[in-house]
Amino acid sequence: MTNKKAYELDGVSIGFIGKSPLGDAVVYKKVFEALTVLEPNCNIDILCMDARARVNAKAFYMGSKNLNNIVDFNNDELPNYDLVLLMESSAILIMQVNLDRLQNLSPNLYQSVLKLHNYNLKYNMYKKDLPSKALFCATRARIFKTNRYTCLACEGALPIYDNKVEINLLPEWKSEFDKLGLKKYITLGSNGGNFNRFLIKEWSTRYYVEFISLLKSKMPDITIVQIGGGGEEKFKNADKYLIGKDLELLKYVLKNSLLHVDCEGGPVHLASQLGTKCLVLLGAIEPDFLKYTQNINIISEVCSPCYCVWEDGSKCLLGAKEPPCMLSITPQKVFDVAYRYLKSIE
């Protein structure tokens, strides 16, 4: 990285507005990588809206080709860039563009920006609210067999063809992981790190506790590690808690886990990109949109996916105190699947 802003350097300058949620930071790296394919000599600044976005940017973009700098978002500086993109839900919004410079410096990127703008106009992406954007893309994913990543191609505007991104592990954190003394272990998420903001995505804490008891009774030699960003409720019978730890350490923990058990959320995106098998519990979430085919995906057979049908993701659309879709995924069912997989890799 340099001490200068991308627009202070020669060549095409791009401002890439980073987002806070862990899962979004992983997924949107696919757009970052697509930009470097379109313009191999571009200079990209990650523009961070908050401290959490900066942490994610460092964790997932450091060492990436064409990364120039990670800086705080400054609206006044946007006109200095040749192109500024905002990742918002499942949309890529053009916040600033200098078409004349792009046409002269990067014809491929210029053509892609035109296609992206036409796509956004065609589907009213500049005016849709966040839930509407997500619902639009999730519905199209089911019909056209795309997913959270490939829908970001925006009907061919960007060269995005799969759901794989590169996640770097910092070598200096290997020793910190070794100090934990973890050998044969699985990891559990903490309801995707959603902190009850998206109740309809979450598995009940009592279900996690029961699952842990079932697994311990049959496989007592496996250590059960609960991870999380910080502030999550601890599952009382887990063996080890790694909540609020540095994201660089978390990457090593997930990388070396035998299995990660969680509902849809950031840790699943990260673990999947690190090559770790995940057992993912999907209820209200549109599975075609968000699942990774290499994972073990348990999809509720109760109700139909309703996530983003309305804005308040903390409440069941049917008015139930606890979403019946997630309640139908019982601890016994999850244990049976996890046990079979863990026995198969012994």
Side-chain angles (χ1 to χ4, degrees):
M1 294 201 306
T2 73
N3 292 323
K4 294 184 177 182
K5 302 292 179 67
Y7 57 77
E8 297 176 308
L9 305 175
D10 294 334
V12 174
S13 61
I14 300 176
F16 190 90
I17 301 179
K19 303 292 284 186
S20 294
L22 176 65
D24 287 350
V26 174
V27 172
Y28 294 143
K29 190 176 182 188
K30 196 68 181 176
V31 178
F32 181 100
E33 292 175 351
L35 293 172
T36 67
V37 171
L38 290 167
E39 179 44 63
N41 297 315
C42 67
N43 299 299
I44 304 177
D45 287 344
I46 305 294
L47 312 180
C48 301
M49 294 283 198
D50 52 39
R52 190 178 171 199
R54 181 178 277 274
V55 169
N56 289 339
K58 289 181 178 179
F60 303 133
Y61 293 87
M62 287 288 285
S64 297
K65 182 176 179 288
N66 301 87
L67 174 66
N68 175 68
N69 213 333
I70 297 172
V71 300
D72 292 333
F73 176 85
N74 184 339
N75 192 65
D76 293 337
E77 292 184 325
L78 299 191
N80 297 328
Y81 289 91
D82 296 317
L83 176 65
V84 178
L85 297 178
L86 167 65
M87 308 297 108
E88 189 173 76
S89 184
S90 297
I92 305 171
L93 305 182
I94 301 170
M95 305 299 291
Q96 151 68 20
V97 63
N98 186 327
L99 287 175
D100 289 337
R101 271 182 58 85
L102 282 188
Q103 188 173 22
N104 290 328
L105 295 176
S106 182
N108 287 339
L109 184 56
Y110 169 77
Q111 290 296 330
S112 288
V113 168
L114 292 182
K115 291 178 182 178
L116 176 60
H117 181 58
N118 289 335
Y119 172 89
N120 287 339
L121 291 178
K122 178 180 177 181
Y123 296 113
N124 202 30
M125 300 303 275
Y126 290 113
K127 296 183 179 180
K128 278 185 170 71
D129 59 19
L130 289 176
S132 297
K133 288 186 178 76
L135 180 61
F136 169 81
C137 292
T139 302
R140 287 176 60 85
R142 183 176 68 252
I143 296 171
F144 296 108
K145 307 304 180 186
T146 60
N147 56 52
R148 177 92 191 271
Y149 292 83
T150 55
C151 78
L152 293 170
C154 301
E155 295 186 340
L158 297 176
I160 296 175
Y161 309 108
D162 58 39
N163 64 350
K164 181 63 180 174
V165 299
E166 184 178 354
I167 302 295
N168 297 320
L169 284 81
L170 298 181
E172 56 266 33
W173 280 89
K174 177 63 164 59
S175 60
E176 294 300 314
F177 169 72
D178 291 340
K179 290 176 184 178
L180 297 174
L182 294 172
K183 301 299 180 184
K184 188 177 180 181
Y185 69 95
I186 70 166
T187 47
L188 302 182
S190 303
N191 282 326
N194 292 313
F195 313 111
N196 291 317
R197 291 186 296 114
F198 301 113
L199 180 64
I200 58 174
K201 295 173 62 174
E202 299 174 359
W203 208 41
S204 168
T205 295
R206 69 178 186 277
Y207 274 17
Y208 274 109
V209 171
E210 186 176 342
F211 165 77
I212 294 171
S213 296
L214 289 168
L215 191 64
K216 281 187 171 183
S217 68
K218 289 291 187 179
M219 308 185 84
D221 57 327
I222 289 183
T223 300
I224 299 174
V225 180
Q226 182 185 358
I227 66 166
E232 294 92 338
E233 180 182 0
K234 291 182 177 180
F235 306 143
K236 63 182 180 181
N237 50 349
D239 297 310
K240 195 172 187 65
Y241 304 99
L242 296 176
I243 295 174
K245 300 297 183 180
D246 195 286
L247 190 51
E248 296 301 332
L249 178 62
L250 177 61
K251 287 194 286 188
Y252 274 97
V253 172
L254 286 172
K255 174 71 175 177
N256 292 280
S257 175
L258 295 174
L259 180 69
H260 179 67
V261 181
D262 208 340
C263 55
E264 192 279 327
V268 168
H269 289 287
L270 179 53
S272 299
Q273 296 296 349
L274 291 169
T276 298
K277 180 76 75 173
C278 298
L279 197 168
V280 189
L281 317 177
L282 299 166
I285 297 298
E286 175 58 63
D288 290 331
F289 185 48
L290 288 163
K291 73 181 181 182
Y292 292 79
T293 55
Q294 71 267 29
N295 287 335
I296 305 169
N297 298 290
I298 299 181
I299 300 171
S300 173
E301 298 179 358
V302 176
C303 298
S304 297
C306 66
Y307 186 58
C308 288
V309 170
W310 66 346
E311 187 170 359
D312 191 349
S314 65
K315 296 179 181 179
C316 171
L317 192 62
L318 298 176
K321 184 177 180 180
E322 293 182 282
C325 55
M326 295 304 287
L327 287 178
S328 71
I329 304 175
T330 65
Q332 184 67 52
K333 181 185 294 185
V334 177
F335 163 74
D336 290 341
V337 174
Y339 180 74
R340 284 196 299 270
Y341 174 73
L342 292 169
K343 291 296 288 184
S344 74
I345 62 174
E346 281 186 339

